[in-house]
Structures are given as structure tokens and as C-alpha cells.
Amino acid sequence: WFPVEKFGEDCWATVMYPDGRQHKVKLNPVIGQAEDWWKSPVSDYAYPTKYHVQCPELDFDLTVVCAPKEQELNFEGFPTLSHYEGASQVTGTYGGKAVTGYCYVETIGVWNEHMLDQFKK
């Protein structure tokens, strides 16, 4: 999870282990590396649909791809409630070993490609 604030981005993940333990870890910034933008023809918001997620502490390097791209929840008459909720596939490495999986991406707020320029510096 990563809130994008006026002055930057903080990123964390909650890792859940098979035995039920949970562990919160810091991630490298995510949104500055977001790719494959999809623009909603209804709300006119643009959402990233591909993310690169890295955690040095746990040695994982993952790519998250939303598929299909068209997964906006649109609230006609209430455009500020519109947001992206996307089923996604995960590929990458964890501890040097290849991994695959599934996840769910939720993107809330007014998104566009230009607002993220500050994170790509």
C-alpha cells in the first residue's frame, strides 16, 4: 500500500505467512515506476495498470499487471467516487526464486499521468 501525498510517496506491504504471522515491510517507491496507463472513457481519469514492487528487506522484486485494464468502478453523478479496482497477476522473484501469483489493485483519487512527474525525479 502506498499513499501518494503532496510531498512524496511512502510504501509498505503487509506480508502474510502460511502460519498466520504478518509482517509490515518498507517498499521502494512504486508509483514513479508505474506504467501502461489506461484512460477511462467515462470518468476521464487515467490509471496505471502495471507496477514494479521491490522490497530489499525480504528480497522480492515483483511485477504486478492488471488484466483486463478496463476495471474502473464508475459512479455516475459522483465522479469523485470513481476509482480503479483491478484483478492482477504477479510475476517476479522472492529470495532469488521465481514466483507467480494474483492480487487486487485498488487506486483511489484523481489520477493522471502528469501528476506523477514529481515522483520520477
Side-chain angles (χ1 to χ4, degrees), residues 14-24 58 94:
T14 301
V15 178
M16 297 171 53
Y17 295 96
D19 65 5
R21 290 179 298 126
Q22 295 183 15
H23 181 200
K24 186 176 105 178
L58 295 181
Y94 176 57

Side-chain angles (χ1 to χ4, degrees), residues 3 6-7 22 24-25 29 33 37-38 43 47-48 51 57-58 60 66 73 77 79 82 84 91 98 105 107 116:
K6 184 177 180 180
F7 300 106
Q22 295 183 15
K24 186 176 105 178
V25 294
Q33 299 178 47
W37 290 79
W38 171 75
S43 70
Y47 303 98
Y51 302 87
E57 180 182 342
L58 295 181
F60 70 71
C66 303
L73 289 179
S82 295
Y84 191 85
T91 58
V105 170
T107 307
L116 301 176

Side-chain angles (χ1 to χ4, degrees), residues 77-95:
F78 300 94
T80 57
L81 296 178
S82 295
H83 60 282
Y84 191 85
E85 293 192 13
S88 305
Q89 296 181 343
V90 180
T91 58
T93 59
Y94 176 57

